[in-house]
Amino acid sequence: MKYKCRLADIVTIAPLKKTFRQRNGYTIIELLVVTAVISILIALALPAVQSARNSARQLQCLNNMRNVGLGIIQATDSANRFPACGYYGDGTPGTVGSFRNWVVEILPYIDQSNLYNQWDFDKHYLDPLNAPLAETHIPVLTCTSDISVVPGQGNLSYVVNSGVGFSALIGGIHDCPIGPKSGKLDLNGNGITCNSSTSGDGTPSDRELFFQMGLFFNETWKGEIRAKRHHTMAGLTDGSSNTILISENIRTGYNPTRSQSNWASPNPYLTSFYIGYPCRNGSCSDGNVDYNLANSGTSAINGGLTQPEGSAPFPNSFHSGGVNAGYCDGHFQFLSENIDGKVYAALMSPQGQVLDGSPLAQ
């Protein structure tokens, strides 16, 4: 007997067939693929974000430096001279010790007239009247990339151009030019240091050369004047656009281990930056001058990043490849850490042209 398919049989059998419904979720493999793609995109984006943040911090740092640098230029125009990088007593009774630095001189020009008007210029920066003022945090004095800044303290990220060194009282002799790492400077190479003698041969003295190779100097404040030297804008014979005024140093400013460190301290390791001593064997005689040493080793730009706070008075920043710097004509730009030592020394010197014909010719 042949089987005849009836509609009723189809209706009865149809519901027994397997049906398929649309899925509402994802498989494990799909989730893993999506996660991997997102991770790759994040990995690609993070460096760009970090780079943008670094650029923003560097720009803010440069803007702060610009305000400080223009404050120095305004103070210089007002006084018709550059301020001292630091003021000290000269050893006479009542004037011994540290008074203040260049930052105090420019306070009215960086919107800090209130602090300036409260400052007692006849007293040290650590005097009970001045000390609380010097502990005031002034945001414009700090670089946003300076991770060593301690909130609420008298921080400083910017330093001024002091050439090859600073002067100090050494062995009873006042106003002795010395380098931050090299000791007493024999700039004319005649074997005589810490005095103005030129051996009678017409050679410029160490003090004269010292003046020509830097822009800011320590000075005595009261009593008998022992050290008083300064430049004027008109005296920048190399040109204001060719003379560095200010730079960064994140190895200066407030130091938690040294309560005397703040933006008012005249300590030359905290107020200024220097080039490396360009003279081998401690003497700038013929054949001993090598300006490659001006930007080398721990004295190089960004060479002191790992050194302790207050022990690396050279340009240092956390910007990749160099530091921000300002010039005496009011322009500011990035200074490469790979700059040629001779060019670097020439930019530091306001009167480098007078060195032509000497072993120190730049």
Side-chain angles (χ1 to χ4, degrees), residues 99-171:
F99 278 82
R100 64 189 185 281
N101 69 11
W102 60 272
V103 175
V104 178
E105 307 299 305
I106 72 165
L107 287 175
Y109 304 99
I110 55 173
D111 295 329
Q112 298 296 328
S113 293
N114 184 48
L115 289 178
Y116 182 84
N117 293 333
Q118 295 179 67
W119 195 273
D120 190 333
F121 289 82
D122 291 327
K123 298 185 182 298
H124 299 179
Y125 81 105
L126 293 174
D127 184 89
L129 291 176
N130 291 331
L133 304 177
E135 294 172 357
T136 304
H137 176 65
I138 303 177
V140 75
L141 294 178
T142 61
C143 175
T144 48
S145 298
D146 187 352
I147 60 175
S148 66
V149 166
V150 179
Q153 299 295 335
N155 298 289
L156 180 65
S157 301
Y158 307 116
V159 284
V160 293
N161 166 15
S162 287
V164 292
F166 52 90
S167 60
L169 175 65
I170 301 292

Side-chain angles (χ1 to χ4, degrees), residues 17 61-62 77 114 132 135 176 188 194 199 207 215 217 222 230 241 260-262 304 337 343 348:
K17 294 182 178 179
C61 185
L62 181 62
D77 289 342
N114 184 48
E135 294 172 357
C176 178
N188 59 12
C194 283
S199 300
R207 288 173 180 162
L215 187 61
F217 309 96
K222 296 183 64 180
H230 56 263
S241 63
Q260 297 181 342
S261 60
N262 56 46
E337 63 188 24
V343 175
M348 294 283 283

Side-chain angles (χ1 to χ4, degrees), residues 172-190:
I173 300 177
H174 289 271
D175 195 23
C176 178
I178 61 176
K181 290 187 176 182
S182 59
K184 295 182 289 186
L185 300 177
D186 181 14
L187 295 173
N188 59 12
N190 66 358

Side-chain angles (χ1 to χ4, degrees), residues 163-233:
V164 292
F166 52 90
S167 60
L169 175 65
I170 301 292
I173 300 177
H174 289 271
D175 195 23
C176 178
I178 61 176
K181 290 187 176 182
S182 59
K184 295 182 289 186
L185 300 177
D186 181 14
L187 295 173
N188 59 12
N190 66 358
I192 302 173
T193 58
C194 283
N195 58 56
S196 57
S197 173
T198 61
S199 300
D201 60 0
T203 303
S205 70
D206 292 332
R207 288 173 180 162
E208 290 173 313
L209 295 170
F210 177 66
F211 177 72
Q212 293 158 352
M213 297 178 73
L215 187 61
F216 291 84
F217 309 96
N218 291 332
E219 294 186 34
T220 48
W221 171 238
K222 296 183 64 180
E224 183 181 354
I225 299 300
R226 298 284 188 180
K228 190 174 181 67
R229 62 170 62 87
H230 56 263
H231 285 287
T232 64
M233 278 292 185

Side-chain angles (χ1 to χ4, degrees), residues 328-340:
C328 293
D329 68 341
H331 85 274
F332 298 80
Q333 64 185 46
F334 196 69
L335 185 66
S336 172
E337 63 188 24
N338 297 317
I339 186 172
D340 178 78

